[in-house]
Amino acid sequence: MIRLVFYKFILMIVVVLSLSCSKKADYDFIITNGTDYTINSFVIGSGNDRIDVTIMPNDTSEIVTYEFDGTFFNFTEPLLTLAVKQYFDSIKQYDYNKGGGTSIPDLKEDSENKVTIKLDKESSVSNILFELEIN
């Protein structure tokens, strides 16, 4: 009986490991701020792997490299957070915390990924100020 439980446990581990995938890659980003606001914190990634970038109004960042070293399950799509966290007008700094997850398989590994921050003029939601265009 104990052997049967042990074999079932080993079989479950093998199944889980066969469904998971490990992907290590470096992704280069160039972020363009197409607004009149200073973006104090544009975030790539999350948690301890997060990179914060500051971009002046109507300016472009240097190349920023994000190192993805994640394991994910084959039935889920790995996502990378790209978000405006804080912005500044000439008077005040605002916390924004809007953005989204971008599919990592959709990103380019062999060239720069271009992110453009624009004003979202068509949003019907009053607190949605920016939209992101990727590649």
Side-chain angles (χ1 to χ4, degrees), residues 13-126:
I13 289 176
V14 168
V15 168
V16 167
L17 289 177
S18 68
L19 293 175
S20 67
C21 184
S22 180
K23 179 169 178 72
K24 296 180 182 190
D26 291 345
Y27 298 98
D28 291 334
F29 290 91
I30 296 177
I31 302 115
T32 299
N33 179 1
T35 74
D36 292 330
Y37 296 101
T38 298
I39 305 298
N40 289 351
S41 178
F42 181 80
V43 173
I44 302 170
S46 60
N48 293 335
D49 296 334
R50 167 177 136 163
I51 298 172
D52 282 297
V53 181
T54 298
I55 311 144
M56 300 308 290
N58 300 300
D59 199 6
T60 301
S61 72
E62 299 289 323
I63 295 174
V64 178
T65 301
Y66 180 80
E67 297 174 7
F68 179 72
D69 186 18
T71 300
F72 57 94
F73 292 103
N74 285 334
F75 51 84
T76 63
E77 185 173 39
L79 299 175
L80 179 65
T81 300
L82 299 173
V84 174
K85 298 294 257 182
Q86 290 181 338
Y87 67 96
F88 179 78
D89 61 18
S90 60
I91 299 168
K92 182 179 174 187
Q93 178 171 297
Y94 303 90
D95 290 328
Y96 186 63
N97 294 325
K98 302 280 189 285
T102 298
S103 173
I104 288 181
D106 290 344
L107 296 174
K108 302 175 190 173
E109 290 182 52
D110 54 351
S111 63
E112 291 87 17
N113 292 282
K114 294 175 176 39
V115 179
T116 303
I117 304 166
K118 295 178 161 184
L119 291 177
D120 190 348
K121 296 178 182 175
E122 296 184 18
S123 176
S124 61
V125 182
S126 63

